[in-house]
Amino acid sequence: VQLQASGGGLVQAGGSLKLSCAASGLTFSDYAFGWLRQAPGKEREFVAGITYRGAVTYYTDSVKGRFTISRDNAKNTVYLQMNSLKPEDTAVYYCAADPLVVTMRNSQNAVDYWGQGTQVTVSS
């Protein structure tokens, strides 16, 4: 199984980025997907999750209204559209796959699959 994350970069505060996570080696539609991030010196935190059919999405409070998670089951790809970026959004962003979003939110050590991470840096 491979989760290939891309789309990170350097952006000014208030700008936008769109992350992509291309999955292979698994039955994409059987899995929920999530984005998590880890800033320097901080624990990894859940950012957003989407259920296997895309019917339900979840967000941590700090990104609600700014970030949107989506998935394209035909392309085996999950996206994270990030708008109105803030310096505190600076982190390495990881995509993850698990049958349940709740696992990605509460039991990260039990998550089935992880991507390699992509760096997002927001300058003030």
Side-chain angles (χ1 to χ4, degrees):
V1 174
Q2 274 197 321
L3 302 180
Q4 185 70 39
S6 61
L10 173 64
V11 64
Q12 288 188 331
S16 298
L17 283 174
K18 187 173 184 177
L19 306 183
S20 298
C21 176
S24 60
L26 76 171
T27 303
F28 187 82
S29 58
D30 285 351
Y31 284 83
F33 282 82
W35 288 95
L36 298 91
R37 66 187 180 187
Q38 187 165 22
K42 295 187 176 181
E43 292 188 352
R44 186 169 54 199
E45 67 168 342
F46 174 86
V47 176
I50 188 166
T51 54
Y52 68 104
R53 290 184 178 177
V56 184
T57 57
Y58 303 85
Y59 299 94
T60 192
D61 286 346
S62 63
V63 308
K64 284 180 181 177
R66 299 189 298 122
F67 290 12
T68 303
I69 188 170
S70 61
R71 63 188 292 160
D72 186 335
N73 285 3
K75 295 183 178 180
N76 286 8
T77 302
V78 180
Y79 305 97
L80 185 67
Q81 177 67 48
M82 305 185 294
N83 298 328
S84 302
L85 282 160
K86 304 176 181 180
E88 51 264 43
D89 294 318
T90 294
V92 177
Y93 284 70
Y94 298 90
C95 64
D98 194 272
L100 299 173
V101 173
V102 67
T103 303
M104 291 179 270
R105 292 181 77 172
N106 300 330
S107 304
Q108 294 175 22
N109 289 339
V111 168
D112 279 4
Y113 304 111
W114 291 93
Q116 87 286 5
T118 185
Q119 176 71 46
V120 172
T121 303
V122 185
S123 63
S124 57

